[in-house]
Structure formats: structure tokens, C-alpha cells
Amino acid sequence: MKLHEYQSKELLARFGVPVPAGEVTDNYDEALKIATALGGNVVVKAQVLMGGRGKAGGVKLFTDPATAADFAKDLIGKRLVSIQNPAGMVVEKVLIAETIDIAKEFYVAVLLDRNIQQNIVMISAEGGVEIEEVAEHNPNAIVKIPINPAWGLCDFELRKAVKDANIPKEAQGQMVVMIKNLVRAYIDADADMVEINPCALTPDGKLIAADAKVAIDDNALFRHKDYEATSSDAAEDPIEAEAVNRGIAYVSLGGDIGIMGNGAGLVMQSLDEISAAGGRPANFLDVGGGAQAERVKSCVELILMDPNIKGILINIFGGITRVDEVAKGVLAAFSEMEVTIPVVARIEGTAVEEGRKILEGSQIIAAPTVQAAAKTIVELAYA
Ligand code: GDP
Ligand code: MN
């Protein structure tokens, strides 16, 4: 789950990372109050979960509170579009923060490197721009160090890394301290990314996080109840957001054949079989074990929210889940929704005979194997 900039800064500040004073709001009156209280020299920043807000017109500096508040008002409710996010996102809140005088911009991050299966620290003196650009044009400007899972980072390693990254001498000590605090915040929050870009060096030599991005590992959200409450707002895909509300494991995959199965492994197999049959999976959806009719119905509704869906594959292996329960749920959902696209189901396992009987005579085509089901749905969907 990605946190907004203001949430990220609140979190990091608790761990001693210097951040600019500021407050978040969703209306003009408060914006004016905040900007006035901060003395008028403020930066107004759209709180949307996408990169490149600066270039998209979502970050602007002001020298008086009234024009800052006017801009805040214009920004709230507007859809911001960037190169990274062509569909764009609507601005619901803005952060109003004191403007920092910036002499130099650095990049610093703690993240999970899946290739080496360790957390790492990334440092670069080439901050402010997208790190992907630096990685492409000047990869040597990025220093990466793994964080040992047993003993963490040693001071000498950190000092060397900061030096190797060409962080200027006067900022090196502060950078070492900041990284230690970022790592503590990262571990404590069960994050899989903490990124400061730009990490600003002021003309009087102070290091401060001008921007911040934190992402929390979704599997640890139960330990962070205050973020869990806002996790549906944070989903980038509207169907994924609805899935969070419904407590269903759903991932949008961009194709056009909807997939539903019980158990992550079975769903993944279904995705593979659809691809092997020449189809494009629209989603990952795990109904879960012991799924009851109501829940199955809720899952089918979710799949059908995607306007690109041309067909649905259902792959159920009844163990704890009774196949007749699933069949009832599927029929209930379809009877209320006037579904005109083809639906193929491979059902097997506990109470399969009862399940097949329930589906008999309905629009749902039964298939004997997953491969046969995938082949049939691909043929029907793209006919
Ligand atoms: P992003 O484009 O979504 O990453 O948003 P940022 O918060 O990084 O802002 C974009 C750019 O605006 C930064 O790289 C800075 O150059 C500039 N900026 C943001 N806050 C300040 C500030 O307080 N002072 C100054 N001088 N520039 C800022
Ligand atoms: Mn930034």
C-alpha cells in the first residue's frame, strides 16, 4: 500500500527525519489559514499516488498565502496526468508546506531488492530527477548497499557509501544519520519502499526531505490498523479498491478474460492456461477457501466491473469449498446481472455431482479439465 506524501512525512518525522513544516487540507479556507500560518512562502502539492507531480503541474511554489490558496482550490478535484500515469488521478487533498531553499538535490531510498532477496539502501547525488533516468544515463551515480538481515548496516559501510555516492562532505554526516533513521522507519512500518527525492541540501547546509514516498507491505497491514483504514483509497485501480472493501484478493492484469478460482495456486494455473490458449487474463481473483454463495456472487460482480471483459473462466477445486455452494453463488450472481458474455467452468472435488446438477441447463458451460476450459473460453470470447 502506497502512502501519500503527507502520511509518509508524518511517519518519517516520528523517526527523526527532518521534514518541512506543513499541513494537508481539502478546502480553500483551511488552505488559506495554513499558508498564512506558514508565513506565505509555501509550496502547494497535490496528494496523489503517482510520480512526476512536479511536471504534471501538481507542485507549485508561492510567496503569498492568497495565491497559494487559489491554486490549492483549483487543484482540488482536478485530474492530474503524468507520463508514468496517463489515466491520471483526481486530487482529493493538497499538502501546503513551507518552501525550502534548495542548493542541491539528492536521492536516497530504502527498498526491497527482490533479485538479491535483501533490503538495500540506494543513494545518489543526482536527485530531483526520476531515478530511472539516472539509472539509464549515469548508472555509476547510484550507489547500492545491501542491509544485512542479521546485523543491519555498519557505520563504516554507510560512511563509505555516502562518500562513494559523491554526497558533498558537509552533508555526509547528516546523510548517514538520515539513512539510519530511514532504515528504522522502514523496518518498523513493515515498508517495502521508503524514498526521498529530492533530499534537499539548503544553502546553510541542512539536509531535509522535500518529498517522501513510503509503501507498506500489504501482508503486514494488519499490524498497521491506522493505514489499513485508508488502504482502499490508496488502490490505484478502482476495481482493486472495491476488492479491498469487499475483502477479496483481486489484481487487475489488463486483459479481457475474467478469472476466478479458489486458492492462489489454482488461480495462477488458470492464468497460465488462458495465456497458453492464446488469451489475455483480465485479473487474478482468489475466492478463498470455504467460499459461500454470497461471496462467490460478490466475486463475479467484481470481475464484471471491468468493461473489457469478453468471457469468464471459473476454476474451482472443491476441498473445504463445496462445489455446490460455488455453483449456487455463480447462478445467483448471473441471474441478477444479465450476463451476455460466455462463461466456462471447470469444477471438481467435494460435492461435484450436486454442483454439476445446479449448473445444468444454465448459461454456464461445464468443462472436464482446466486446459479444455481455457481453450473453450478463449474460442468463445474472441469469436
Ligand atoms: P514529484 O514531482 O511528484 O516527485 O514531487 P516533488 O515533491 O519531488 O516536487 C517536484 C520538484 O519541485 C522537486 O524536485 C523540487 O525541485 C521542487 N520542490 C518541491 N518542494 C520544494 C521546495 O520546498 N522548495 C523548492 N525550491 N523546490 C521544491
Ligand atoms: Mn519527488
Coordinates of all heavy atoms in Angstrom, one line a residue, residues 253-312:
L253 N -5.1 -7.2 -14.3 CA -4.0 -7.6 -15.2 C -4.1 -7.1 -16.6 O -3.2 -7.3 -17.4 CB -3.9 -9.2 -15.2 CG -3.5 -9.9 -13.9 CD1 -3.6 -11.3 -14.0 CD2 -2.2 -9.4 -13.4
G254 N -5.1 -6.4 -16.9 CA -5.2 -5.6 -18.1 C -5.7 -6.4 -19.3 O -5.9 -5.8 -20.4
G255 N -6.0 -7.7 -19.2 CA -6.5 -8.4 -20.4 C -8.1 -8.4 -20.5 O -8.7 -7.4 -20.0
D256 N -8.7 -9.4 -21.1 CA -10.1 -9.4 -21.3 C -10.8 -10.7 -20.9 O -12.0 -10.8 -21.1 CB -10.4 -9.0 -22.7 CG -9.5 -9.6 -23.7 OD1 -9.0 -10.7 -23.4 OD2 -9.3 -9.1 -24.8
I257 N -10.1 -11.6 -20.3 CA -10.8 -12.8 -19.8 C -10.7 -12.9 -18.3 O -9.7 -12.9 -17.7 CB -10.2 -14.1 -20.4 CG1 -10.4 -14.0 -22.0 CG2 -10.9 -15.4 -19.8 CD1 -10.2 -15.3 -22.7
G258 N -11.9 -12.7 -17.7 CA -12.0 -12.7 -16.3 C -11.7 -14.1 -15.7 O -12.1 -15.1 -16.3
I259 N -11.1 -14.1 -14.6 CA -10.7 -15.4 -14.0 C -11.0 -15.5 -12.5 O -10.8 -14.5 -11.8 CB -9.2 -15.7 -14.2 CG1 -8.9 -16.0 -15.7 CG2 -8.7 -16.9 -13.4 CD1 -7.5 -15.8 -16.1
M260 N -11.6 -16.6 -12.1 CA -11.9 -16.8 -10.7 C -11.6 -18.2 -10.3 O -11.9 -19.1 -11.0 CB -13.4 -16.5 -10.5 CG -13.9 -16.7 -9.1 SD -15.7 -16.2 -9.1 CE -16.4 -17.8 -8.9
G261 N -10.9 -18.4 -9.2 CA -10.6 -19.7 -8.8 C -10.5 -19.7 -7.3 O -10.5 -18.7 -6.6
N262 N -10.3 -20.9 -6.7 CA -10.2 -20.9 -5.2 C -8.8 -21.4 -4.9 O -8.3 -22.5 -5.3 CB -11.2 -21.8 -4.6 CG -11.2 -23.3 -5.0 OD1 -11.0 -23.6 -6.1 ND2 -11.3 -24.1 -4.0
G263 N -8.0 -20.6 -4.2 CA -6.6 -20.8 -3.9 C -5.7 -20.1 -4.9 O -6.0 -20.2 -6.1
A264 N -4.7 -19.4 -4.4 CA -3.8 -18.7 -5.3 C -3.1 -19.5 -6.4 O -3.0 -19.1 -7.5 CB -2.8 -17.9 -4.5
G265 N -2.7 -20.7 -6.0 CA -2.0 -21.6 -7.0 C -2.9 -22.0 -8.1 O -2.5 -21.9 -9.3
L266 N -4.2 -22.3 -7.8 CA -5.1 -22.7 -8.8 C -5.4 -21.5 -9.8 O -5.6 -21.7 -11.0 CB -6.4 -23.2 -8.2 CG -7.3 -24.1 -9.0 CD1 -6.6 -25.4 -9.3 CD2 -8.6 -24.4 -8.4
V267 N -5.5 -20.3 -9.2 CA -5.8 -19.1 -10.0 C -4.6 -18.9 -10.9 O -4.7 -18.6 -12.1 CB -6.0 -17.9 -9.1 CG1 -6.3 -16.7 -10.0 CG2 -7.2 -18.1 -8.2
M268 N -3.4 -19.0 -10.4 CA -2.2 -18.8 -11.2 C -2.1 -19.8 -12.4 O -1.8 -19.5 -13.5 CB -0.9 -18.9 -10.4 CG -1.0 -17.9 -9.2 SD 0.5 -16.9 -9.1 CE 1.2 -17.6 -7.7
Q269 N -2.5 -21.0 -12.1 CA -2.5 -22.0 -13.1 C -3.5 -21.6 -14.2 O -3.3 -21.8 -15.4 CB -2.9 -23.4 -12.5 CG -2.9 -24.5 -13.6 CD -3.9 -25.6 -13.4 OE1 -4.8 -25.5 -12.5 NE2 -3.7 -26.7 -14.1
S270 N -4.7 -21.1 -13.7 CA -5.7 -20.7 -14.7 C -5.2 -19.5 -15.6 O -5.4 -19.5 -16.8 CB -6.9 -20.1 -13.9 OG -7.3 -21.0 -12.9
L271 N -4.4 -18.6 -15.0 CA -3.8 -17.5 -15.8 C -2.9 -18.1 -16.9 O -2.9 -17.7 -18.0 CB -3.0 -16.6 -14.9 CG -3.7 -15.9 -13.7 CD1 -2.7 -15.1 -13.0 CD2 -4.8 -15.0 -14.2
D272 N -2.1 -19.1 -16.5 CA -1.1 -19.7 -17.4 C -1.9 -20.4 -18.5 O -1.5 -20.3 -19.7 CB -0.2 -20.7 -16.7 CG 0.8 -20.0 -15.8 OD1 1.0 -18.8 -16.0 OD2 1.4 -20.7 -15.0
E273 N -2.9 -21.1 -18.1 CA -3.7 -21.9 -19.2 C -4.4 -21.0 -20.1 O -4.4 -21.2 -21.3 CB -4.7 -22.9 -18.5 CG -4.0 -24.0 -17.7 CD -3.2 -24.9 -18.6 OE1 -3.3 -24.9 -19.8 OE2 -2.4 -25.7 -18.0
I274 N -4.9 -19.8 -19.6 CA -5.5 -18.9 -20.5 C -4.5 -18.3 -21.5 O -4.7 -18.2 -22.7 CB -6.2 -17.7 -19.7 CG1 -7.4 -18.2 -19.0 CG2 -6.5 -16.5 -20.6 CD1 -8.6 -18.5 -19.9
S275 N -3.3 -18.0 -21.0 CA -2.2 -17.5 -21.9 C -1.8 -18.5 -22.9 O -1.6 -18.2 -24.1 CB -1.0 -17.0 -21.0 OG -1.4 -16.0 -20.1
A276 N -1.7 -19.8 -22.4 CA -1.2 -20.8 -23.3 C -2.3 -21.1 -24.4 O -1.9 -21.4 -25.5 CB -1.0 -22.1 -22.5
A277 N -3.5 -20.8 -24.1 CA -4.6 -21.0 -25.1 C -4.7 -19.8 -26.0 O -5.6 -19.7 -26.9 CB -5.9 -21.3 -24.4
G278 N -3.9 -18.8 -25.8 CA -3.9 -17.6 -26.7 C -4.7 -16.4 -26.1 O -5.0 -15.5 -26.8
G279 N -5.2 -16.5 -24.9 CA -6.0 -15.5 -24.3 C -5.2 -14.5 -23.4 O -4.0 -14.7 -23.2
R280 N -5.9 -13.4 -23.0 CA -5.2 -12.4 -22.2 C -6.0 -12.3 -20.9 O -7.1 -11.8 -20.8 CB -5.3 -11.0 -22.9 CG -4.5 -10.9 -24.2 CD -4.7 -9.6 -24.9 NE -6.1 -9.5 -25.3 CZ -6.5 -9.8 -26.6 NH1 -5.7 -10.2 -27.5 NH2 -7.8 -9.7 -26.9
P281 N -5.4 -12.8 -19.8 CA -6.1 -12.7 -18.5 C -6.4 -11.3 -18.0 O -5.6 -10.4 -18.1 CB -5.2 -13.4 -17.5 CG -4.1 -14.1 -18.3 CD -4.1 -13.4 -19.6
A282 N -7.6 -11.0 -17.6 CA -8.0 -9.7 -17.1 C -7.7 -9.5 -15.7 O -7.5 -8.3 -15.2 CB -9.5 -9.5 -17.3
N283 N -7.6 -10.6 -14.9 CA -7.4 -10.4 -13.5 C -7.0 -11.7 -12.8 O -7.1 -12.8 -13.3 CB -8.7 -10.0 -12.8 CG -9.8 -11.1 -12.9 OD1 -10.5 -11.2 -13.9 ND2 -9.9 -11.9 -11.9
F284 N -6.5 -11.5 -11.6 CA -6.2 -12.6 -10.7 C -7.4 -12.4 -9.6 O -7.6 -11.3 -9.1 CB -4.9 -12.4 -10.0 CG -4.6 -13.3 -8.8 CD1 -3.8 -14.4 -9.0 CD2 -5.2 -13.0 -7.6 CE1 -3.6 -15.3 -7.9 CE2 -5.0 -13.9 -6.5 CZ -4.2 -15.0 -6.7
L285 N -8.1 -13.5 -9.4 CA -9.1 -13.4 -8.3 C -9.2 -14.7 -7.5 O -9.5 -15.8 -8.1 CB -10.5 -13.0 -8.8 CG -11.5 -12.7 -7.7 CD1 -12.6 -11.9 -8.4 CD2 -12.1 -13.8 -7.0
D286 N -8.9 -14.7 -6.3 CA -8.9 -15.9 -5.4 C -10.2 -15.8 -4.5 O -10.2 -14.9 -3.7 CB -7.7 -15.9 -4.6 CG -7.7 -17.1 -3.6 OD1 -8.6 -17.9 -3.7 OD2 -6.7 -17.3 -2.8
V287 N -11.2 -16.6 -4.7 CA -12.4 -16.6 -3.9 C -12.1 -17.0 -2.5 O -12.9 -16.7 -1.6 CB -13.5 -17.6 -4.4 CG1 -14.7 -16.8 -4.8 CG2 -13.1 -18.6 -5.4
G288 N -11.0 -17.7 -2.3 CA -10.7 -18.1 -0.9 C -11.3 -19.5 -0.6 O -12.1 -20.0 -1.3
G289 N -10.8 -20.1 0.5 CA -11.3 -21.4 0.9 C -12.7 -21.3 1.5 O -13.0 -20.3 2.1
G290 N -13.5 -22.3 1.4 CA -14.8 -22.4 2.1 C -15.8 -21.3 1.6 O -16.6 -20.8 2.4
A291 N -15.6 -20.8 0.3 CA -16.4 -19.7 -0.2 C -17.9 -20.1 -0.2 O -18.2 -21.1 -0.7 CB -15.9 -19.3 -1.5
Q292 N -18.7 -19.2 0.3 CA -20.1 -19.3 0.3 C -20.7 -18.6 -0.9 O -20.1 -17.8 -1.5 CB -20.7 -18.8 1.6 CG -20.1 -19.4 2.9 CD -20.5 -20.9 3.0 OE1 -21.7 -21.2 3.1 NE2 -19.5 -21.8 3.0
A293 N -22.0 -18.9 -1.1 CA -22.7 -18.4 -2.3 C -22.6 -16.9 -2.4 O -22.3 -16.3 -3.4 CB -24.1 -18.8 -2.3
E294 N -22.8 -16.2 -1.3 CA -22.8 -14.7 -1.2 C -21.4 -14.2 -1.7 O -21.4 -13.2 -2.5 CB -23.0 -14.2 0.2 CG -24.5 -13.8 0.4 CD -25.1 -12.9 -0.6 OE1 -24.5 -11.8 -0.8 OE2 -26.0 -13.3 -1.3
R295 N -20.4 -14.8 -1.2 CA -19.0 -14.3 -1.5 C -18.7 -14.6 -3.0 O -18.1 -13.7 -3.7 CB -18.0 -15.1 -0.6 CG -16.6 -14.6 -0.8 CD -15.7 -15.2 0.2 NE -14.3 -14.9 -0.1 CZ -13.7 -13.7 0.2 NH1 -14.4 -12.8 0.9 NH2 -12.5 -13.5 -0.1
V296 N -19.1 -15.7 -3.5 CA -18.9 -16.0 -4.9 C -19.6 -15.0 -5.8 O -19.0 -14.5 -6.8 CB -19.4 -17.4 -5.3 CG1 -19.3 -17.7 -6.8 CG2 -18.6 -18.5 -4.5
K297 N -20.8 -14.6 -5.4 CA -21.6 -13.6 -6.1 C -20.8 -12.3 -6.1 O -20.7 -11.6 -7.2 CB -22.9 -13.5 -5.5 CG -23.8 -12.6 -6.2 CD -25.3 -12.6 -5.6 CE -26.0 -11.4 -6.1 NZ -26.6 -10.6 -5.1
S298 N -20.3 -11.9 -5.0 CA -19.6 -10.7 -4.9 C -18.3 -10.7 -5.8 O -18.0 -9.7 -6.4 CB -19.2 -10.5 -3.4 OG -18.5 -9.3 -3.2
C299 N -17.7 -11.9 -5.9 CA -16.5 -12.0 -6.8 C -16.9 -11.8 -8.3 O -16.2 -11.2 -9.0 CB -15.9 -13.4 -6.6 SG -15.1 -13.6 -5.0
V300 N -18.0 -12.5 -8.7 CA -18.4 -12.3 -10.1 C -18.8 -10.9 -10.4 O -18.4 -10.4 -11.4 CB -19.7 -13.3 -10.3 CG1 -20.2 -13.1 -11.8 CG2 -19.3 -14.7 -10.1
E301 N -19.4 -10.2 -9.4 CA -19.7 -8.8 -9.6 C -18.5 -8.0 -9.9 O -18.4 -7.1 -10.8 CB -20.4 -8.2 -8.4 CG -21.9 -8.6 -8.2 CD -22.4 -8.2 -6.9 OE1 -21.7 -7.7 -6.0 OE2 -23.6 -8.5 -6.7
L302 N -17.4 -8.3 -9.1 CA -16.2 -7.6 -9.2 C -15.6 -7.8 -10.6 O -15.1 -6.8 -11.2 CB -15.2 -8.2 -8.1 CG -14.2 -7.3 -7.5 CD1 -14.8 -6.0 -6.9 CD2 -13.4 -8.0 -6.4
I303 N -15.5 -9.0 -11.1 CA -15.0 -9.3 -12.4 C -15.7 -8.5 -13.4 O -15.1 -8.0 -14.4 CB -15.1 -10.8 -12.7 CG1 -14.1 -11.6 -11.8 CG2 -14.8 -11.1 -14.2 CD1 -14.2 -13.1 -12.0
L304 N -17.1 -8.4 -13.3 CA -17.9 -7.8 -14.3 C -17.8 -6.3 -14.3 O -18.3 -5.6 -15.2 CB -19.3 -8.2 -14.2 CG -19.6 -9.7 -14.6 CD1 -21.0 -10.1 -14.2 CD2 -19.3 -9.9 -16.1
M305 N -17.2 -5.7 -13.2 CA -17.0 -4.2 -13.2 C -16.0 -3.8 -14.2 O -15.9 -2.6 -14.6 CB -16.5 -3.8 -11.8 CG -17.5 -3.8 -10.8 SD -16.8 -3.3 -9.2 CE -18.1 -4.0 -8.1
D306 N -15.2 -4.7 -14.7 CA -14.2 -4.4 -15.7 C -14.9 -4.4 -17.1 O -15.4 -5.4 -17.5 CB -13.1 -5.5 -15.7 CG -12.0 -5.2 -16.7 OD1 -12.1 -4.4 -17.6 OD2 -10.9 -5.8 -16.5
P307 N -14.9 -3.2 -17.7 CA -15.7 -3.1 -19.0 C -15.1 -3.9 -20.2 O -15.7 -4.1 -21.2 CB -15.6 -1.6 -19.3 CG -14.5 -1.1 -18.6 CD -14.3 -1.9 -17.4
N308 N -13.8 -4.3 -20.0 CA -13.2 -5.0 -21.1 C -13.4 -6.5 -21.2 O -13.0 -7.2 -22.1 CB -11.6 -4.8 -21.1 CG -11.3 -3.4 -21.2 OD1 -11.9 -2.6 -22.0 ND2 -10.4 -2.9 -20.4
I309 N -14.1 -7.0 -20.2 CA -14.3 -8.5 -20.1 C -15.1 -9.1 -21.2 O -16.2 -8.6 -21.6 CB -15.1 -8.8 -18.7 CG1 -14.2 -8.5 -17.5 CG2 -15.5 -10.3 -18.7 CD1 -13.0 -9.3 -17.3
K310 N -14.5 -10.1 -21.9 CA -15.2 -10.8 -23.0 C -15.7 -12.2 -22.6 O -16.4 -12.8 -23.4 CB -14.2 -10.9 -24.2 CG -13.8 -9.5 -24.8 CD -13.3 -9.7 -26.2 CE -13.0 -8.5 -26.9 NZ -11.5 -8.2 -26.9
G311 N -15.2 -12.7 -21.5 CA -15.5 -14.1 -21.1 C -15.0 -14.3 -19.7 O -14.1 -13.6 -19.3
I312 N -15.6 -15.3 -19.1 CA -15.1 -15.7 -17.7 C -14.8 -17.1 -17.6 O -15.5 -18.0 -18.1 CB -16.2 -15.3 -16.7 CG1 -16.5 -13.8 -16.7 CG2 -15.8 -15.7 -15.3 CD1 -17.6 -13.4 -15.8

